Amino acid sequence: GQWQAVVHELPPGCSSQRVLEEIEELTNPKVKAGKKALLPEQLALKNTILGALDAVRDESGRDAPVRLVFEPKSKNVDQGEFMLMLLAHTSLESSAPINLVMIGGDGRPRQKGLTAILQEWIDYRFVTVRRRTEFKLGKVNDRIHILEGRETVLLNIDKVIAIIRNSDEPKAALIEEFRLSERQAEDILEIRLRQLARLEAIKIQQELAELRNEKEKLEDILENPSSMKRLIIREIEADAKLYGDDRRTIIEEAQRAVAEQKVIDEPVTVIVSEKGWVRARTGIGHDPAQFTFKAGDSLYKAFECRTVDHLLGIGDNGKVYSVPVNALPGSRGDGVPITTLVDLSGGVRILHYFAGNPETRLLISTSDAFGFITKAGDMVSRLKGGKSFITLNDGAAPLPPRVVTDNAGAVACLSEKGRVLVFGIDEMKVLTNGGRGVILMELEPKEKMLAAQPITQKGVNVIGTWSGDKARTVELFASGLEPHFGKRARKGKALSARLKAMDLAMRAAEG
C-alpha cells in the first residue's frame, strides 16, 4: 500500500533544482539575520515537513524531462494533505503576473480586470458589426436602386431608345418620362446594348430577388438586438474553430494552496513576564509561585486559555501584535522575548497583554480617557508588523485591556487625582475595527486617567497606597458607588478615603 507522489510538470520559471533547494531550506532552516535562534514558525514547519516527507528524488532525464518523486513517511499519510503541504511551501505552485493595461474605447491606457476587458471588447464587437452591417445595407440599397431603373428600361425598351435618339437632353427626358433618379438615368445612358437582351432581364430579376432578401436580413440584424447577438456568437465560434488550437494550460477557478497546521484544542496557561518573555505551560490551575523567571524579572500575568487562541500585545503606538498560542515555546526555561515573535520597529514597546477566547469582550481605554468595547478576535492579525487598532492622541498611552463579563452593567473610571466616575455600560461604543472610541471621563489639564474597569452590582476595588507607601485597597460596594454615579464624560467624585489611587479591579467576590 505504499505510494509515491510523482510530479511531471512544473510552473513557468520553476525547475527541479529549485524545488529541491526549497525543501532543503525547509528541513534545514537557517537562523534569520538579527535572531539568535530559529523562530518557532521555522521549527514548526520543519517538524511538519519531516513528519510527512521521507525522501525526494530528481529522476528527470531524456525519457522524462521533468520527474520529481516524493516519498511519504508511511502509507498512512493523507495524500491530499501531503500535496497541499508541498504546493503551499514550494514553487510547485506559483503565480505569474500579467500586465492588464489596455487602451479602451476612450483611447486612454488604463489597468482593467478580465471582466472589464472582455465586456469592452464585446461592446466594441457590437459597434463593429453594426457599422459593417450598415455599410453593407447601403451598398445593397444602392444596387437595388440601379437594378430597379434597369428593370424599368427593359419594360419600355423601344420608348427609351427613341428618347435617347431624338432628345437633345436625353437624361432629363428619361427622368421626366419614367420618374427615374439622376443615378438611375446616368446608369441607363451608360448601359451597353447587349445588356438589354431578354436573358439579361432574367438575371436582373434574380439579382433583385437575392438583394431584397439580403436587405431584409441586414435590416433584421440592425433592428433586432437578439439577431445581432446570434450573428456575433456564430462568428466567434467560427473563428475559434478555424484559428483556435488546443489549450496547453488549463485556466480554471481555484484558490492558492494553504497548508494549515492542525492544532489540538487543549487548555494551556500563557505566562508573560514583566520584561516581555513569553511561554506556554500545558493545563490550567497552576500556582503562579511555581513560575521562575530571569534575574530581575517577574510575572506580568498568567492567562488560562486554549491552544487555538492568540496572545495579544498592545504597543505604545496603538498597534496590536498577535501570536498564536500554539506557536509559543514550552514551559521549560524562561521562554522567549516577545520581540522574536513579532516585528517591532521604531523603538515601539509592548505595554499590555491578553490571551483568551476570541469571543471575549474587552474594554479598551487610553490615558486621555477615551475608550471602546471590542472582541479579542477583532484584534487578531496575521501580520507580524501588527494591526493598527487604537487611535492615540499626542501624549496618550493605552491602558490595560479589561474583560467585560456578561453581568457587567457599568464602567468605573479612575483619574490620577483620585476621582471615580461610574456610568452605565450601555453608554459605551462597540468598535470591531478599533479607533479612538468615546470620552469616558472629563480630565483636568495635564491629568491622566489611570484605569477603566467594567463592574457588576458587587462594586469595585480601588487599589493604591497611603501613608508610608503602604498598600491599601478600598472596596466600593453598591452604596459606596452611589455618589460616583453619573453620565459618561463627567468628572466624577473624589474618594473620601485618604488614598493615592493607582488602579481599579473587580472585587474578589466576582472571581
Side-chain angles (χ1 to χ4, degrees):
Q2 183 61 48
W3 54 271
Q4 296 176 332
V6 180
V7 175
H8 55 82
E9 288 184 358
L10 293 172
C14 178
S15 65
S16 301
Q17 183 64 29
R18 180 177 176 182
V19 175
L20 294 176
E21 290 174 355
E22 289 171 341
I23 292 177
E24 175 64 22
E25 290 176 3
L26 293 171
T27 54
N28 293 294
K30 297 178 181 179
V31 178
K32 293 188 175 181
K35 306 296 181 182
K36 295 182 179 179
L38 294 175
L39 299 178
E41 302 90 60
Q42 291 177 295
L43 292 172
L45 186 55
K46 174 184 176 179
N47 294 332
T48 300
I49 300 292
L50 292 178
L53 181 64
D54 184 55
V56 56
R57 297 190 306 275
D58 183 7
E59 297 182 356
S60 306
R62 181 178 299 176
D63 297 331
V66 176
R67 183 177 171 84
L68 279 173
V69 181
F70 299 89
E71 292 186 357
K73 279 285 187 183
S74 74
K75 64 181 181 181
N76 297 323
V77 175
D78 183 86
Q79 296 183 12
E81 292 183 2
F82 183 79
M83 288 309 302
L84 193 64
M85 175 189 71
L86 294 176
L87 292 172
H89 299 298
T90 69
S91 297
L92 289 176
E93 179 182 272
S94 60
S95 59
I98 57 174
N99 188 351
L100 292 180
V101 175
M102 63 163 289
I103 299 177
D106 57 0
R108 296 181 179 180
R110 283 174 51 199
Q111 186 174 4
K112 300 180 181 180
L114 284 175
T115 303
I117 291 173
L118 289 174
Q119 185 59 55
E120 191 155 342
W121 182 84
I122 290 170
D123 294 341
Y124 176 72
R125 190 68 192 150
F126 271 90
V127 172
T128 302
V129 173
R130 175 171 293 279
R131 289 178 177 176
R132 183 190 69 191
T133 305
E134 288 174 346
F135 179 78
K136 285 184 178 180
L137 183 60
K139 289 288 186 181
V140 168
N141 284 332
D142 184 65
R143 183 62 178 168
I144 289 174
H145 186 62
I146 294 297
L147 293 177
E148 285 176 346
R150 292 186 182 183
E151 191 178 36
T152 302
V153 168
L154 291 174
L155 294 175
N156 303 277
I157 189 64
D158 295 333
K159 196 170 185 180
V160 169
I161 293 172
I163 290 174
I164 293 173
R165 180 181 294 171
N166 301 320
S167 176
D168 294 333
E169 294 290 339
K171 181 177 176 181
L174 288 172
I175 291 173
E176 183 179 353
E177 181 66 30
F178 299 107
R179 295 182 180 178
L180 301 175
S181 67
E182 272 197 46
R183 183 95 166 79
Q184 288 173 320
E186 206 59 62
D187 178 72
I188 291 168
L189 291 174
E190 293 177 0
I191 202 168
R192 296 179 181 180
L193 289 175
R194 65 182 180 184
Q195 291 179 277
L196 302 177
R198 181 178 297 276
L199 183 61
E200 195 67 28
I202 296 173
K203 289 182 179 180
I204 289 174
Q205 291 172 352
Q206 290 176 344
E207 188 178 353
L208 270 173
E210 292 174 0
L211 290 171
R212 284 167 179 158
N213 183 46
E214 185 179 358
K215 176 183 178 181
E216 185 178 343
K217 291 179 180 179
L218 293 173
E219 288 177 340
D220 178 62
I221 292 171
L222 293 172
E223 296 171 2
N224 192 344
S226 60
S227 297
M228 180 174 288
K229 187 180 294 185
R230 285 194 295 270
L231 173 63
I232 292 173
I233 291 172
R234 285 198 303 270
E235 290 181 349
I236 293 174
E237 290 175 343
D239 288 342
K241 187 175 181 180
L242 181 61
Y243 302 107
D245 56 3
D246 293 334
R247 182 173 291 283
R248 287 168 288 179
T249 300
I250 298 175
I251 297 179
E252 58 185 1
E253 185 176 0
Q255 292 183 344
R256 187 170 182 84
V258 178
E260 296 184 355
Q261 299 180 19
K262 292 184 178 180
V263 179
I264 300 175
D265 187 356
E266 57 185 6
V268 66
T269 300
V270 174
I271 304 167
V272 183
S273 78
E274 287 287 353
K275 293 187 177 180
W277 286 67
V278 296
R279 62 188 190 268
R281 187 170 184 175
T282 304
I284 58 176
H286 300 292
D287 182 5
Q290 299 176 349
F291 304 151
T292 59
F293 302 92
K294 287 182 176 292
D297 202 358
S298 59
L299 178 67
Y300 169 85
K301 193 168 184 179
F303 299 94
E304 294 184 346
C305 54
R306 314 286 299 185
T307 51
V308 294
D309 296 332
H310 283 75
L311 171 64
L312 304 176
I314 300 177
D316 57 7
N317 57 351
K319 281 190 173 184
V320 178
Y321 302 85
S322 311
V323 180
V325 169
N326 69 292
L328 298 177
S331 58
R332 291 184 180 180
D334 301 313
V336 297
I338 189 69
T339 52
T340 64
L341 303 176
V342 297
D343 291 337
L344 299 179
S345 59
V348 173
R349 293 185 304 113
I350 293 183
L351 302 179
H352 312 293
Y353 298 86
F354 175 80
N357 191 298
E359 293 299 315
T360 302
R361 293 190 301 158
L362 297 175
L363 171 60
I364 306 298
S365 58
T366 58
S367 60
D368 57 349
F370 282 87
F372 58 90
I373 292 175
T374 190
K375 287 183 179 180
D378 295 330
M379 304 169 73
V380 174
S381 171
R382 292 184 179 180
L383 301 176
K384 283 195 170 185
K387 176 180 183 180
S388 297
F389 199 78
I390 305 172
T391 303
L392 297 173
N393 293 323
D394 292 341
L399 297 179
R402 301 295 170 93
V403 175
V404 181
T405 59
D406 293 336
N407 58 347
V411 175
C413 299
L414 175 66
S415 79
E416 204 172 28
K417 295 185 178 180
R419 289 181 290 104
V420 175
L421 171 68
V422 180
F423 57 86
I425 202 167
D426 57 344
E427 295 187 53
M428 290 295 299
K429 198 171 185 178
V430 177
L431 300 178
T432 57
N433 296 319
R436 181 177 282 104
V438 295
I439 299 175
L440 303 185
M441 73 182 304
E442 183 183 348
L443 299 175
E444 295 179 0
K446 297 184 179 181
E447 186 184 18
K448 294 181 179 179
M449 188 175 74
L450 298 179
Q453 174 68 52
I455 62 174
T456 65
Q457 294 180 350
K458 297 292 183 180
V460 66
N461 291 337
V462 183
I463 302 170
T465 59
W466 65 317
S467 59
D469 289 335
K470 296 179 180 178
R472 183 182 178 186
T473 298
V474 176
E475 293 184 336
L476 295 179
F477 300 93
S479 57
L481 282 175
E482 189 173 347
H484 301 280
F485 267 102
K487 290 290 185 180
R488 180 182 58 77
R490 302 290 174 84
K491 279 192 173 183
K493 187 176 180 182
L495 292 167
S496 57
R498 295 177 59 189
L499 179 77
K500 183 180 179 181
M502 298 172 63
D503 200 359
L504 295 174
M506 278 277 198
R507 290 191 57 243
E510 293 301 314

